[in-house]
Amino acid sequence: MAELTVYQKNKKFFCVPLDSSQLTIGRSSKNDLILTGDQVSRHHAVIEKMNTVFWLRDMSTAGTFLNDHKLVVPTQLQPGNTIAIADWQLVFASDSSVQAAETERKETQITKLTEELPGDTTQILKFEPDALFYKQLKPCLIIEDAKNGNRTCLVKKNRLVVGSAKNCDILLDDEFVSKYHAEFRLSDLGFHVVDLDSTNGTFVNNFKIKECYLKGGEKIELGNSRIVAVFEEGSSVTLDPFHDNHFCGIYAQSHSMRLLFSKIQKIAATDMTTLIVGETGSGKEMVARALHDLSDRRHKPYLVINCGAITTTLIESELFGHEKGAFTGADQRHLGAFEQANAGTVFLDEIGELPLELQSKLLRVLEYQTLRRVGGSQDIKINVRIIAATHRDLPSLVEHKAFREDLFYRLYVICLKLPPLRERKEDIPLLTKVFIDKCSPDKLLYLDQSSIEKLKNHSWPGNVRELKNTIMRAIAFCQSNIITASDIEFLLPHKGPAIEMAENADPATALPQTREEVMAPEALRAQEKSRIEGVLKTTNHDKTRAAKLLGMGRSTLFRKMKSLGIALDDTDKQE
């Protein structure tokens, strides 16, 4: 994505993404980019995007300069162009020119994680996405008080109020400092400094700010006092596997899963964006829920949006909301998921299915925690943690231009990878016991060795979800308190070497992948009829329980019974 890097007097302050059709620049608060100064007009200039080309147009009386030449007519921007407005410099970078910077950002990105420790000390962690260790950091504020000299304050909580009032977290004896002057918030982007409507203002590197993020080392001026935020790096600490095989409703005893539990525990208390990657049925939504339930946002809203289950025409409104009259049928204002979950968590399942045209809007939410409703003209500030999940290969989608590279890097702050069930078969006996206890609490059931071996030898393309459904069917078929291999039926065949090789072959020549493609229609109908009759007998013809055991809706069960010639009683015929 193209962007502007903003400088004043050769000091860099921030970057502005060019993710919409135009960007207005000026002194007025109605502009997209607000620049201060007497020589800046209220509406000074505009950058307009036409197809993939950006044009700069001057609207001021004092003039706009491009590469030291006064702009006379609208001019196409080239990578590296410098726009001068009063004492501001805006450096333009195109999509291709920021690609290398995005790659470097991914390689060097540091996620700072906060966790309260005994003794009221805040621990900050450097955590690489695939690492099995983390580094401890100590966030500190070096304070130069106008009257009391220098002192160092170890940050002990996520929010600190600085001012001259006695109940402030950091007290400054300075007549030019307001009672409640500024607030320092510790976040995954570093320190977030917010001016609390002080009389004399808050300055970062001599630039007056309302709020901004600090990466460390910047000089903050409040009245005659100065504060520098730093992170002191400590030693590396190995990440140990979680001590139990039960974690937030997830059961596993494999080393890889218990390491995952430890990662979740470490990162849950933060607001960082998290990407969960795993195959279908591997438990991505349960991991997302655990991240929310263990966070400080656990008592706030938790909303799940499946990006692949909502039509393209509706998903923008579902995520960002819409104003009354924004489109046909919009007879009232609608708050999207991000506003509904304000102060809480939004889980974006199947993020790889998000339409390309909406990815830039999501990027803006991630970068600036602001959104604009469909049909709206005002930016709305929000405070949400975003967790995303996918079973798709996002790097491949990026390579094929089906997923934005900048959005991928912004989501990949930290990545939790769920191993497929076939790679952790030592979890199968434990999971099987859990499912039996849940699905048949009134009947004592066991699996014999042959059934356990059959389960372990299966390739589990549907992962834990497939295992659960398989156990539910086995409970229905079992005629005693021992489940044998004959009671276990897979809806998808075991993937032997031939099928695994065929998965990488041309789809037109690939081997059959489903039971329906392998079996003759008559045999398939006979087997389905036998299975339904067996479940109905087990449930004493309780259709609701039978449908649940078969993994289908009640109406679907009735339709199949009629189609297969299974007798319906008089009550059933009335439904």
Side-chain angles (χ1 to χ4, degrees):
M1 177 175 58
E3 64 183 22
L4 287 178
T5 303
V6 180
Y7 296 82
Q8 187 183 40
K9 299 177 181 177
N10 297 319
K11 291 184 178 180
K12 180 179 176 181
F13 287 101
F14 49 84
C15 294
V16 179
L18 297 174
D19 55 1
S20 59
S21 59
Q22 71 170 21
L23 179 91
T24 58
I25 305 169
R27 195 175 72 246
S28 170
S29 61
K30 294 182 179 179
N31 289 293
D32 299 309
L33 176 57
I34 304 169
L35 302 180
T36 58
D38 295 337
Q39 298 300 311
V40 180
S41 299
R42 290 181 59 80
H43 303 286
H44 199 107
V46 62
I47 296 176
E48 297 172 309
K49 182 179 181 181
M50 299 179 183
N51 296 323
T52 59
V53 178
F54 291 87
W55 294 80
L56 174 65
R57 180 159 53 93
D58 179 50
M59 302 170 62
S60 69
T61 54
T64 300
F65 293 80
L66 182 64
N67 295 338
D68 297 326
H69 296 285
K70 189 172 183 178
L71 200 66
V72 179
V73 296
T75 303
Q76 180 180 339
L77 291 173
Q78 302 293 337
N81 282 172
T82 298
I83 305 164
I85 298 175
D87 60 352
W88 295 92
Q89 298 86 42
L90 315 176
V91 179
F92 173 75
S94 65
D95 285 6
S96 58
S97 62
V98 300
Q99 182 175 354
E102 289 288 357
T103 302
E104 182 181 358
R105 185 184 306 173
K106 174 186 179 296
E107 292 173 350
T108 60
Q109 185 139 22
I110 294 173
T111 302
K112 298 179 175 66
L113 313 180
T114 63
E115 179 181 284
E116 296 298 330
L117 294 178
D120 193 29
T121 301
T122 302
Q123 182 185 25
I124 310 299
L125 312 177
K126 275 187 182 179
F127 206 127
E128 300 299 333
D130 299 315
L132 299 181
F133 63 88
Y134 56 89
K135 289 185 177 179
Q136 295 177 330
L137 302 176
K138 293 181 179 180
C140 301
L141 297 178
I142 301 173
I143 303 163
E144 183 182 330
D145 197 317
K147 295 182 179 179
N148 299 319
N150 293 354
R151 67 184 190 273
T152 299
C153 175
L154 182 65
V155 176
K156 296 185 177 181
K157 55 184 182 179
N158 289 352
R159 291 172 181 261
L160 294 172
V161 175
V162 181
S164 57
K166 291 184 178 180
N167 60 342
C168 286
D169 298 297
I170 296 179
L171 175 62
L172 297 178
D173 187 6
D174 186 335
E175 61 183 329
F176 296 103
V177 171
S178 299
K179 286 186 176 181
Y180 305 100
H181 196 108
E183 183 177 61
F184 285 72
R185 303 170 185 170
L186 200 54
S187 77
D188 299 319
L189 298 176
F191 277 107
H192 183 196
V193 182
V194 180
D195 181 77
L196 301 178
D197 295 323
S198 64
T199 302
N200 295 315
T202 301
F203 294 78
V204 175
N205 291 343
N206 299 318
F207 174 64
K208 188 175 182 179
I209 59 101
K210 178 62 181 173
E211 60 178 295
C212 74
Y213 284 95
L214 309 176
K215 293 296 184 182
E218 296 89 343
K219 182 174 64 176
I220 306 101
E221 296 183 29
L222 303 86
N224 289 327
S225 303
R226 292 175 178 81
I227 297 177
V228 178
V230 296
F231 297 95
E232 296 181 355
E233 188 167 313
S235 59
S236 297
V237 179
T238 303
L239 188 68
D240 294 322
F242 190 68
H243 58 84
D244 201 356
N245 58 17
H246 177 216
F247 180 82
C248 295
I250 309 171
Y251 292 84
Q253 58 189 18
S254 59
H255 183 80
S256 59
M257 285 298 291
R258 289 191 297 116
L259 273 177
L260 180 67
F261 295 165
S262 291
K263 273 193 177 183
I264 295 171
Q265 190 179 41
K266 289 292 182 188
I267 67 178
T270 75
D271 286 334
M272 74 172 144
T273 303
T274 305
L275 178 65
I276 306 169
V277 177
E279 295 180 3
T280 299
S282 57
K284 297 186 290 294
E285 187 167 349
M286 295 188 74
V287 170
R289 185 75 212 201
L291 286 168
H292 174 76
D293 288 345
L294 294 175
S295 74
D296 293 337
R297 298 173 182 260
R298 57 186 172 274
H299 300 303
K300 302 297 182 180
Y302 173 78
L303 288 186
V304 179
I305 297 291
N306 189 322
C307 299
I310 305 174
T311 61
T312 304
T313 54
L314 290 178
I315 192 167
E316 183 175 14
S317 175
E318 287 300 306
L319 287 174
F320 305 103
H322 64 251
E323 298 288 359
K324 181 179 179 180
F327 49 83
T328 303
D331 53 359
Q332 60 182 357
R333 173 184 286 176
H334 169 70
L335 301 185
F338 294 122
E339 284 189 85
Q340 292 180 45
N342 198 32
T345 304
V346 173
F347 173 47
L348 300 177
D349 200 6
E350 298 304 342
I351 189 68
E353 313 303 323
L354 187 69
L356 199 59
E357 60 270 21
L358 295 184
Q359 292 179 16
S360 62
K361 294 192 72 171
L362 175 59
L363 182 66
R364 189 175 184 85
V365 172
L366 286 165
E367 291 281 5
Y368 302 107
Q369 289 279 294
T370 60
L371 60 84
R372 187 172 294 184
R373 300 189 192 110
V374 178
S377 58
Q378 303 224 344
D379 287 337
I380 300 166
K381 194 75 175 173
I382 56 171
N383 172 23
V384 293
R385 180 185 189 176
I386 295 176
I387 301 171
T390 184
H391 74 283
R392 304 281 299 275
D393 181 359
L394 289 188
S396 178
L397 293 181
V398 169
E399 185 178 347
H400 291 89
K401 308 299 182 183
F403 198 85
R404 292 181 66 112
E405 186 175 23
D406 48 8
L407 178 58
F408 169 72
Y409 289 140
R410 190 60 187 85
L411 289 171
Y412 205 88
V413 175
I414 190 164
C415 182
L416 296 178
K417 297 178 180 178
L418 271 73
L421 187 57
R422 63 181 173 275
E423 293 180 5
R424 51 183 183 98
K425 292 189 175 181
E426 61 267 42
D427 289 335
I428 290 177
L430 174 62
L431 290 169
T432 300
K433 182 180 184 306
V434 171
F435 295 147
I436 289 176
D437 291 343
K438 288 184 177 180
C439 298
S440 183
D442 301 327
K443 185 178 180 181
L444 195 61
L445 291 174
Y446 301 94
L447 278 84
D448 67 7
Q449 193 58 37
S450 66
S451 62
I452 292 175
E453 290 303 316
K454 186 172 183 178
L455 292 172
K456 285 187 174 181
N457 289 330
H458 187 56
S459 57
W460 299 110
N463 289 287
V464 179
R465 186 183 298 128
E466 183 190 358
L467 175 62
K468 181 178 180 180
N469 292 338
T470 300
I471 296 302
M472 290 172 68
R473 287 191 299 273
I475 292 171
F477 288 135
C478 181
Q479 301 298 316
S480 66
N481 65 335
I482 298 178
I483 296 176
T484 65
S486 61
D487 297 320
I488 295 173
E489 176 186 310
F490 302 122
L491 294 183
L492 294 175
H494 170 65
K495 292 186 181 180
I499 291 182
E500 289 175 350
M501 288 174 61
E503 286 183 335
N504 297 319
D506 189 309
T509 60
L511 294 177
Q513 295 295 301
T514 65
R515 202 175 180 84
E516 286 80 356
E517 294 174 300
V518 176
M519 300 179 65
E522 297 81 7
L524 184 64
R525 282 176 58 84
Q527 185 184 64
E528 186 172 30
K529 181 178 181 180
S530 174
R531 183 171 75 249
I532 291 175
E533 286 177 335
V535 173
L536 287 170
K537 182 177 179 181
T538 300
T539 61
N540 198 24
H541 285 262
D542 183 330
K543 309 299 187 304
T544 301
R545 284 187 61 209
K548 187 174 181 180
L549 286 172
L550 289 164
M552 64 181 68
R554 184 181 168 89
S555 59
T556 303
L557 174 60
F558 283 126
R559 178 170 53 80
K560 286 184 175 289
M561 289 174 66
K562 291 177 183 178
S563 173
L564 296 169
I566 299 174
L568 299 171
D569 56 36
D570 293 337
T571 306
D572 297 334
K573 292 176 182 177
Q574 294 174 7
E575 298 200 20

